[in-house]
Amino acid sequence: MTDLLAAAHTIVVKVGSSLLVDAKTGRLRRDWLKSLSADIVKLKSEGKDVLLVSSGAIALGRHALKLKSGALKLEESQAAAAAGQVRLAEAYADVLARDGIVAAQILLTLDDTEERRRYLNARATLKTLLELGGVPVINENDTVATAEIRFGDNDRLAARVASMMEADRLILLSDVDGLYSADPTHDAEARHIDEVRTITPEIEAMAGGSVSGVGRGGMTSKLMAAKIATAAGCEVVIAKGTAQSPIAALRAGSRVTRFRASTTPAAARKRWIAGVLKPQGTLIIDEGAVKALAAGKSLLPAGIRQVDGRFERGDAVVVRDGDGREIARGLAAYGAGDAERIAGKRSLEIEAILGYRGRDEMIHRDDLALTGLTER
Ligand code: GLU
């Protein structure tokens, strides 16, 4: 299966706790991590961006704090996460640095991938980190996450990250080599599924609540993750990563389940932006800006003639021409108040006017979907 990663540009790799932490001793599997680091070096040498979503904080922390085995109370797992996360980040930073890679820790909650301003900020930070050649090491911010703002499992967190970053591959590394027609630990007839084109109710029934080792994510959460990511145009691979060099093993054709996506990440994102039901405001732009947008450029403050509505940074707005015709929809990089103050001004003037240096664009082209131009 050599084409599995060949065409990918942005790859999210989710590392399950059971790979990183030895279940018996509670210690870090450092040699395994070294082999993963070598895999990442190879991906980066091919020009790919890699983001890691890693579990293991709770598993490492409970060992460090000498917590008893068995189920932990919520506060205990949060305390364990706090003690474990610092060890986890240290391990990644140390091992990756030996291979010349800068690891950067990002802790997210559900809000950060959903709430508009935080979403834009998290995305911009991650993009900048990748441009600078770093490898983000992402985990849930377990210590502050309450029941309402929890992902609960990193499979879904990884899927949200993949969709936020327009990744084209999400690799879920765990202790199972994919989806089976029934639970293989109980059913000798269970058949391995190599490829899923659509996640049908039959496929969902196959997952039936199976739970894997140390981590929290069973097959059900992997399927949920696959749904989120494939809808965002990202192909998902469930692979067994226990042995060393898990990505190299994938390339060599180890058994996996591959979930195909029916769209591309860019198309899925544009469709999402275009489909926002309640845009919060309107930007009226001049003819020059209409031409720029038609040519695939960003919307700069200079081309804005009027700002209507109450919107905040990250909200969806409608872009119209002087005759009121809809041209596009997009996510505003400034709230309505600031947008009004910089409308018609050059990007160089933004800092002097607002007193801070924001984005050069009012709507970046990645955050813009042309919704009306084709009808003209
Ligand atoms: N965030 C948790 C940790 O780092 C793991 C969640 C999961 O296993 O999916 O320990």
Side-chain angles (χ1 to χ4, degrees):
M1 218 186 272
T2 42
D3 63 330
L4 194 74
L5 299 177
H9 298 291
T10 306
I11 303 177
V12 176
V13 180
K14 187 256 171 175
V15 177
S17 301
S18 59
L19 309 182
L20 207 58
V21 186
D22 185 290
K24 284 195 201 87
T25 62
R27 285 185 200 283
L28 186 81
R29 296 178 66 213
R30 195 169 282 272
D31 286 338
W32 181 87
L33 186 54
K34 283 186 185 157
S35 77
L36 176 69
S37 181
D39 280 349
I40 296 170
V41 169
K42 173 116 183 6
L43 290 171
K44 284 177 67 72
S45 73
E46 295 164 348
K48 303 182 195 305
D49 282 335
V50 182
L51 298 100
L52 296 172
V53 173
S54 181
S55 307
I58 296 176
L60 284 174
R62 68 183 299 157
H63 174 69
L65 293 172
K66 301 190 174 57
L67 283 159
K68 61 192 181 309
S69 56
L72 296 179
K73 284 191 279 192
L74 179 64
E75 314 83 86
E76 285 173 333
S77 19
Q78 291 184 304
Q85 183 61 37
V86 63
R87 287 163 172 78
L88 188 70
E90 199 272 331
Y92 274 101
D94 178 48
V95 171
L96 268 56
R98 286 164 201 265
D99 285 328
I101 300 174
V102 177
Q105 169 184 269
I106 311 262
L107 300 177
L108 295 174
T109 63
L110 194 56
D111 277 0
D112 304 321
T113 62
E114 281 189 336
E115 212 229 326
R116 52 197 180 213
R117 261 168 300 172
R118 296 201 195 177
Y119 173 95
L120 276 193
N121 284 339
R123 183 177 141 92
T125 306
L126 285 167
K127 287 212 158 186
T128 306
L129 260 173
L130 294 175
E131 278 160 25
L132 295 171
V135 170
V137 180
I138 303 165
N139 197 358
E140 181 163 17
N141 197 350
D142 286 310
T143 45
V144 300
T146 58
E148 306 79 59
I149 60 162
R150 274 190 94 76
F151 281 100
D153 63 73
N154 277 356
D155 295 322
R156 265 176 298 167
L157 170 64
R160 294 277 193 173
V161 168
S163 119
M164 181 163 79
M165 299 309 291
E166 283 156 79
D168 32 33
R169 292 292 182 286
L170 166 60
I171 302 171
L172 299 174
L173 292 179
S174 76
D175 51 7
V176 283
D177 61 4
L179 180 68
Y180 284 79
S181 59
D183 186 345
T185 51
H186 296 117
D187 191 339
E189 304 280 279
R191 215 167 18 87
H192 180 268
I193 313 285
D194 294 328
E195 188 178 76
V196 176
R197 292 208 167 252
T198 322
I199 302 173
T200 58
E202 289 75 43
I203 296 285
E204 285 182 48
M206 291 177 187
S210 72
V211 178
S212 77
V214 207
R216 240 179 270 140
M219 197 45 76
T220 312
S221 76
K222 288 186 179 42
L223 266 197
M224 284 174 79
K227 270 189 159 179
I228 296 168
T230 54
C234 176
E235 212 174 286
V236 178
V237 179
I238 299 181
K240 184 166 173 148
T242 355
Q244 291 195 14
S245 309
I247 309 288
L250 268 187
R251 295 183 191 256
S254 63
R255 189 154 78 161
V256 299
T257 300
R258 184 172 182 177
F259 295 79
R260 300 284 190 160
S262 56
T263 175
T264 65
R269 185 169 154 83
K270 300 258 164 169
R271 205 175 44 230
W272 168 63
I273 292 170
V276 172
L277 290 179
K278 277 200 206 142
Q280 306 292 314
T282 305
L283 302 174
I284 313 284
I285 62 172
D286 62 23
E287 272 308 307
V290 174
K291 289 211 183 76
L293 297 197
K297 303 227 167 82
S298 299
L299 175 62
L300 300 178
I304 299 173
R305 285 175 26 188
Q306 196 185 317
V307 178
D308 293 325
R310 284 164 157 240
F311 54 90
E312 293 187 47
R313 181 171 135 70
D315 276 340
V317 293
V318 181
V319 179
R320 297 185 188 279
D321 68 7
D323 299 325
R325 278 180 297 198
E326 176 165 336
I327 305 293
R329 290 179 180 219
L331 307 179
Y334 293 91
D338 285 353
E340 228 160 87
R341 293 167 65 198
I342 60 174
K345 301 289 195 312
R346 287 179 306 145
S347 300
L348 280 172
E349 300 172 272
I350 295 177
E351 189 171 0
I353 298 171
L354 299 181
Y356 68 89
R357 186 163 165 215
R359 273 208 155 177
D360 286 349
E361 310 85 13
M362 179 62 209
I363 303 178
H364 190 274
R365 61 190 153 88
D366 291 350
D367 298 332
L368 194 70
L370 301 181
T371 46
L373 273 171
T374 46
E375 297 141 38
R376 286 156 69 93

Coordinates of all heavy atoms in Angstrom, one line a residue, residues 14 17 54-59 88 139-140 142 152-155 215-217, ligand 1:
K14 N -2.2 10.2 15.4 CA -2.6 10.1 16.8 C -1.9 8.9 17.5 O -2.0 7.8 17.0 CB -4.2 9.9 16.9 CG -4.7 10.0 18.3 CD -5.1 8.6 18.7 CE -5.5 8.6 20.2 NZ -5.9 7.3 20.7
S17 N -2.2 5.9 24.2 CA -1.4 5.7 25.4 C -0.6 4.4 25.5 O 0.5 4.3 25.9 CB -2.3 5.7 26.7 OG -3.0 6.9 26.8
S54 N -1.0 13.3 20.9 CA -0.6 12.2 21.8 C -1.3 12.1 23.1 O -1.4 13.1 23.8 CB 0.9 12.4 22.0 OG 1.4 11.3 22.8
S55 N -1.7 10.9 23.4 CA -2.2 10.6 24.7 C -1.1 10.1 25.6 O 0.1 10.1 25.1 CB -3.2 9.4 24.6 OG -4.2 9.7 23.6
G56 N -1.4 9.7 26.8 CA -0.3 9.2 27.6 C -0.1 10.0 28.9 O 0.7 9.6 29.8
A57 N -0.7 11.2 29.0 CA -0.4 12.0 30.1 C -0.9 11.4 31.4 O -0.2 11.3 32.4 CB -1.0 13.4 30.0
I58 N -2.1 10.9 31.3 CA -2.7 10.3 32.5 C -1.9 9.0 32.9 O -1.6 8.8 34.1 CB -4.2 10.0 32.3 CG1 -5.0 11.3 32.1 CG2 -4.8 9.2 33.5 CD1 -6.4 11.2 31.8
A59 N -1.6 8.2 31.9 CA -0.9 6.9 32.1 C 0.5 7.2 32.8 O 0.9 6.5 33.7 CB -0.7 6.2 30.8
L88 N 5.4 14.0 29.4 CA 5.1 13.6 28.0 C 5.8 14.6 27.1 O 6.5 14.3 26.2 CB 3.6 13.6 27.9 CG 3.0 13.1 26.5 CD1 3.2 11.6 26.4 CD2 1.5 13.5 26.4
N139 N -2.4 17.6 22.9 CA -3.2 16.8 23.8 C -4.4 17.6 24.3 O -4.4 18.8 24.1 CB -2.4 16.3 25.0 CG -3.0 15.1 25.7 OD1 -4.1 14.6 25.3 ND2 -2.3 14.6 26.7
E140 N -5.3 16.9 24.9 CA -6.4 17.6 25.5 C -5.9 18.3 26.7 O -5.1 17.8 27.4 CB -7.6 16.7 25.8 CG -8.7 17.4 26.4 CD -10.0 16.6 26.4 OE1 -10.0 15.4 26.2 OE2 -11.1 17.3 26.6
D142 N -6.4 18.4 29.8 CA -7.2 17.6 30.7 C -7.5 18.2 32.1 O -8.5 18.1 32.7 CB -6.5 16.2 31.0 CG -6.6 15.3 29.8 OD1 -7.7 15.1 29.3 OD2 -5.6 14.7 29.4
G152 N -12.8 14.0 25.8 CA -12.9 12.7 26.4 C -11.9 11.7 25.8 O -11.3 11.0 26.5
D153 N -11.8 11.7 24.5 CA -10.8 10.8 23.9 C -10.1 11.5 22.8 O -10.6 12.4 22.2 CB -11.5 9.5 23.4 CG -12.4 9.8 22.3 OD1 -12.0 10.1 21.2 OD2 -13.6 9.8 22.5
N154 N -8.8 11.1 22.7 CA -8.0 11.8 21.7 C -8.3 11.5 20.3 O -7.8 12.1 19.4 CB -6.5 11.6 22.1 CG -6.0 12.6 23.1 OD1 -6.8 13.4 23.6 ND2 -4.8 12.4 23.5
D155 N -9.0 10.4 20.0 CA -9.4 10.1 18.6 C -10.2 11.2 18.0 O -9.9 11.7 16.9 CB -10.2 8.8 18.6 CG -9.5 7.6 19.1 OD1 -8.3 7.5 18.8 OD2 -10.0 6.7 19.7
G215 N -5.7 3.3 26.9 CA -6.3 4.5 26.6 C -7.8 4.5 26.7 O -8.4 3.5 27.1
R216 N -8.4 5.6 26.4 CA -9.9 5.7 26.5 C -10.6 5.4 25.3 O -11.8 5.1 25.3 CB -10.2 7.1 27.0 CG -10.9 7.1 28.3 CD -11.2 8.5 28.8 NE -10.2 9.1 29.5 CZ -9.8 10.3 29.4 NH1 -10.3 11.1 28.5 NH2 -8.8 10.8 30.2
G217 N -9.9 5.5 24.1 CA -10.6 5.4 22.9 C -10.8 3.9 22.4 O -9.8 3.3 22.2
Ligands
GLU1 N1 -5.7 13.0 27.1 C1 -5.5 11.7 27.8 C2 -4.1 11.5 28.2 O1 -3.2 12.1 27.7 C3 -5.9 10.5 26.9 C4 -7.2 10.5 26.2 C5 -7.3 9.2 25.4 O2 -6.7 8.2 25.7 O3 -7.9 9.2 24.3 O4 -3.8 10.7 29.0

